[in-house]
Amino acid sequence: MNKVKQQFSIKDLENLSGIKAHTLRIWEKRYQIFNPSRTETNIRLYSLDELQKLLSISFLNGYGYKISRVAEYSESELNKLVKQVYSEKTNAGFSINVLKVAMLNFDAVLFNETYRELSKTKNFSQIFLQVYIPFLREIGMLWQTNAIKPIHEHFISYLIHQKLIENISLIQTEEQLINNDRTIVLFLPENEVHEISLMFINYQLISKGYRTIYLGSSVPYNDLLELNKFYDNVQYVSYFTIMPHIDNVDNYLSDFQKDILDNNSSKLYISGNQSKKIDTKYPSVFKFDAIEDLVDSI
């Protein structure tokens, strides 16, 4: 039996489209753009087709098309206009909406079709920075508002993870090593498993010709101490999403400076949500809000 979510509350539509529920009710009453079913307690329930229609309308509305105009369009006319604007303006915003539909339906085919379309006009770095990062931020908020479940995030994150592996493998066979004067070690602290951003940093560094040692998620501190015995000039790179815990970040960085960075030329570059909550008062620790700034600084 297919148990993919087929009905959505007006709160779901608000969270997924960014259009306020009050506005959606006005549109529904004034322009008859939806025909929701009702529960026995008179709660509106919207179909997946209506969600997809709303995402198209939301996309067009973001480019200045008035609801009074697009509400008159048939489904085919609406789709034609979306494709036209999609081509003329940008495909990032609409692609994010399509990825939401792919996520809700656990539709890997639609995800890959969207990637192929994006690849016609963008390289992988552009796709990741302009589409995947904003999309991942959105689904983080959707998860918190219960518009989606953790399983949706796991599904779509795995597909993005696959694209990272594919593209890293591709450049590892194509790129030549041109920056061999130092070693770059990428790792996540213990119990930190949110690896996608670190993988993308690794992709960008390899594409620039750097030699990287990718250690991945949840690396014990003692392993870093052991690695440090072999190199004098290491550029450590990490991404703090939820770990170390905010109460322990300062102690972690203090120990890292003392145990690993002092008495050599090594440095630690960090980004991620947890890093934004601290002051970098250590001479060899540098934090960055944007991945691009971190990569450019190495």
Side-chain angles (χ1 to χ4, degrees):
M1 180 178 177
N2 185 355
K3 295 185 179 180
V4 173
K5 189 172 183 178
Q6 297 289 338
Q7 292 185 310
F8 302 86
S9 69
I10 197 164
K11 193 65 177 177
D12 289 335
L13 264 61
E14 177 183 72
N15 290 328
L16 288 162
S17 70
I19 307 295
K20 295 295 184 183
H22 175 69
T23 302
L24 292 175
R25 292 188 185 98
I26 292 174
W27 287 2
E28 181 182 325
K29 183 177 181 180
R30 185 174 299 171
Y31 303 110
Q32 293 81 48
I33 60 172
F34 304 124
N35 185 28
S37 60
R38 303 261 183 170
T39 67
E40 293 180 357
T41 54
N42 207 35
I43 294 174
R44 294 174 173 86
L45 290 176
Y46 299 84
S47 69
L48 183 59
D49 287 341
E50 287 175 316
L51 169 61
Q52 292 172 314
K53 180 180 181 180
L54 175 61
L55 291 174
S56 295
I57 291 173
S58 172
F59 171 72
L60 293 170
N61 192 244
Y63 282 102
Y65 287 84
K66 294 182 178 180
I67 180 62
S68 57
R69 176 183 172 187
V70 296
E72 297 175 352
Y73 288 0
S74 67
E75 181 179 350
S76 61
E77 289 172 331
L78 185 64
N79 290 337
K80 183 178 179 181
L81 179 58
V82 165
K83 289 180 181 179
Q84 178 183 336
V85 176
Y86 177 91
S87 175
E88 291 177 355
K89 301 287 186 181
T90 177
N91 48 16
F94 185 68
S95 294
I96 290 172
N97 283 347
V98 175
L99 289 175
K100 290 178 186 177
V101 175
M103 174 183 66
L104 289 166
N105 282 300
F106 301 102
D107 191 340
V109 173
L110 181 58
F111 174 89
N112 286 311
E113 287 176 353
T114 306
Y115 178 79
R116 283 192 293 271
E117 284 300 313
L118 287 166
S119 298
K120 293 176 181 178
T121 57
K122 300 178 185 295
N123 60 38
F124 181 70
S125 289
Q126 291 171 327
I127 293 172
F128 194 91
L129 293 170
Q130 296 174 20
V131 180
Y132 289 165
I133 284 185
F135 175 60
L136 289 168
R137 287 182 186 139
E138 280 201 37
I139 65 174
M141 291 185 288
L142 291 172
W143 180 81
Q144 292 175 29
T145 59
N146 292 319
I148 63 171
K149 303 298 182 185
I151 192 170
H152 292 109
E153 184 177 5
H154 289 309
F155 168 76
I156 210 74
S157 295
Y158 174 70
L159 293 177
I160 295 174
H161 187 274
Q162 281 185 314
K163 291 302 174 192
L164 279 160
I165 292 174
E166 290 173 12
N167 283 276
I168 289 171
S169 298
L170 182 63
I171 61 171
Q172 281 179 328
T173 59
E174 292 181 349
E175 296 294 334
Q176 293 184 342
L177 193 65
I178 57 175
N179 295 299
N180 199 27
D181 58 329
R182 51 191 160 171
T183 300
I184 302 175
V185 174
L186 297 96
F187 73 97
L188 296 181
E190 275 192 274
N191 301 315
E192 177 61 81
V193 296
H194 295 79
E195 197 175 357
I196 285 178
S197 294
L198 190 73
M199 291 179 69
F200 179 66
I201 294 171
N202 189 40
Y203 167 83
Q204 290 205 308
L205 291 171
I206 294 171
S207 68
K208 289 178 176 290
Y210 287 109
R211 175 177 182 262
T212 67
I213 298 175
Y214 189 84
L215 301 180
S217 62
S218 194
V219 176
Y221 188 75
N222 286 338
D223 287 0
L224 296 172
L225 292 175
E226 189 66 27
L227 181 69
N228 198 54
K229 296 176 182 178
F230 295 93
Y231 302 99
D232 294 323
N233 181 13
V234 178
Q235 314 302 298
Y236 291 94
V237 177
S238 193
Y239 202 90
F240 297 178
T241 301
I242 60 171
M243 298 299 292
H245 189 273
I246 191 60
D247 296 334
N248 299 322
V249 171
D250 193 61
N251 288 335
Y252 186 90
L253 294 178
S254 177
D255 290 342
F256 205 103
Q257 176 70 54
K258 175 171 57 72
D259 299 336
I260 296 176
L261 304 177
D262 280 350
N263 303 316
N264 57 39
S265 302
S266 297
K267 297 179 177 63
L268 171 63
Y269 301 82
I270 59 172
S271 189
N273 186 57
Q274 296 295 70
S275 70
K276 296 177 182 178
K277 304 173 184 177
I278 60 170
D279 293 323
T280 48
K281 55 188 177 183
Y282 306 101
S284 303
V285 177
F286 307 90
K287 72 168 187 173
F288 302 87
D289 290 335
I291 287 176
E292 308 95 291
D293 294 337
L294 186 154
V295 172
D296 290 341
S297 69
I298 293 178

